[in-house]
Amino acid sequence: MKITAIYLYAIHLPLHQPFVISYQTYNFMPSVIVKIETDEGITGYGEAVADEHVTGETWESTYHIIKNTLAPVVLGHNPLEIERLHDLMNKTIYSAPTAKAAIDIACYDIIGKKLQQPVFQLIGGRYHDEFSLTHVLSIAEPELMANEAALHVTKGYQSFKMKVGTNIKQDVKRIQAVRARVGEDIAIRVDVNQGWQNSATTLVALKKLQNCNLDWIEQPVVADDIDGMVEIKSKSIIPLMIDEGLKGSREMLEIIQKRAADKVNIKLMKCGGIYPAVKMAHQAELAGLDCQIGSMVESSIGSAAGYHVAFSKKNISSVELTGPLKFSKDIGNLAYDVPYIRLTDKPGLGIEINEETLRELTVYRDIVR
């Protein structure tokens, strides 16, 4: 089997409401969709959702790299030879994990369709039957975040991820307000997205939050401050998760060696796709580290890819892949059974793509042959 054509679609995914985090407000999510065709008539879909604050990639640069650098290199190669393809991509361009993830995901979709197996069966087999969904609360006034949380408790949600990181005093009020509203039995995870900057300010905040019964605090300091994470972990009783500070296997090794976190957030867009994500999960398992699969707020394509990794690994205990629930229009049909997610046994990614909606949301496109 050989790759004969690669179609690229730069799209805008419309959100039900703006998504607000510490460093940016999104009114829509820019995404790059890749469609790979083969000489056997099998087609696979991949996705790249870039974040310049995390990997240094933008929507525009990702599109450019796939079109002019990666697509010409993988064209004519066998999509089943995933290790070889990653080696080719890595030798062609340094880093650019989001761009590589789009190619990787599309190839796994093809492999699964070729073998008539879901992707999770190709990377270890099904381990989990279902995951609870976590509703993400974007940054707002304390009362508004508490109201949104209370509403989603009535819909069956048992866990929330709170986005904070703009102002420590206000962030503490936000967290306390949500905890007071939902009670003690609901899980609350707090994602600072690097907004508290350093270990000193983080420890001040955590001291005030000791009685809030938090599952964990995610990435309070700037991404490269691994030593700051070590200090926080040694002085706080609240579990600590690394997200932006973990991109690939090299950072995973440092985190393990320094015991810098209790939990790590693996994202396909940060590490380069399904293949490297599986490697990182194995690294973490050897070190006894718990994992989560997160996302950059992706469509059904990227979200499904993340779920396949999560469902196949014992040490992945939580997921945050609810992008499709945030979109007023999606290009795929990944099915949620709120407040749970359960994958089918359909081959490949297990989803169907609505080509009409894809064209409607496309800003510009290209073909590489």
Side-chain angles (χ1 to χ4, degrees), residues 344-355:
T344 70
D345 290 320
K346 293 180 180 178
L349 294 176
I351 58 173
E352 296 176 1
I353 304 304
N354 187 322
E355 293 276 354

Side-chain angles (χ1 to χ4, degrees), residues 7-149:
Y7 297 76
L8 288 87
Y9 305 85
I11 71 171
H12 287 169
L13 289 157
L15 291 158
H16 288 295
Q17 58 188 32
F19 184 59
V20 185
I21 59 177
S22 66
Y23 54 77
Q24 194 159 341
T25 297
Y26 294 93
N27 295 306
F28 57 84
M29 290 306 299
S31 174
V32 178
I33 304 301
V34 167
K35 174 182 173 183
I36 295 182
E37 290 183 347
T38 67
D39 58 355
E40 293 188 11
I42 301 174
T43 299
Y45 290 88
E47 181 175 20
V49 176
D51 189 332
E52 59 267 39
H53 298 88
V54 180
T55 67
E57 298 165 281
T58 65
W59 181 58
E60 295 85 356
S61 71
T62 299
Y63 187 92
H64 176 82
I65 288 170
I66 296 172
K67 176 187 172 184
N68 297 300
T69 305
L70 295 179
V73 167
V74 301
L75 202 66
H77 285 273
N78 188 341
L80 277 69
E81 297 171 352
I82 201 72
E83 175 110 15
R84 181 189 295 272
L85 288 176
H86 272 280
D87 189 47
L88 283 169
M89 291 192 292
N90 291 338
K91 286 178 177 177
T92 301
I93 186 169
Y94 175 74
S95 193
T98 306
K100 292 171 183 174
I103 301 291
D104 167 283
I105 293 167
C107 287
Y108 268 102
D109 194 25
I110 290 169
I111 297 169
K113 290 171 179 175
K114 168 71 173 177
L115 301 177
Q116 285 297 295
Q117 292 292 327
V119 168
F120 62 74
Q121 295 290 24
L122 311 176
I123 54 177
R126 183 192 288 274
Y127 181 83
H128 301 281
D129 292 321
E130 66 181 20
F131 277 102
S132 296
L133 294 174
T134 297
H135 179 71
V136 180
L137 300 169
S138 62
I139 297 173
E141 291 301 307
E143 188 67 17
L144 291 176
M145 295 182 79
N147 289 342
E148 184 179 347

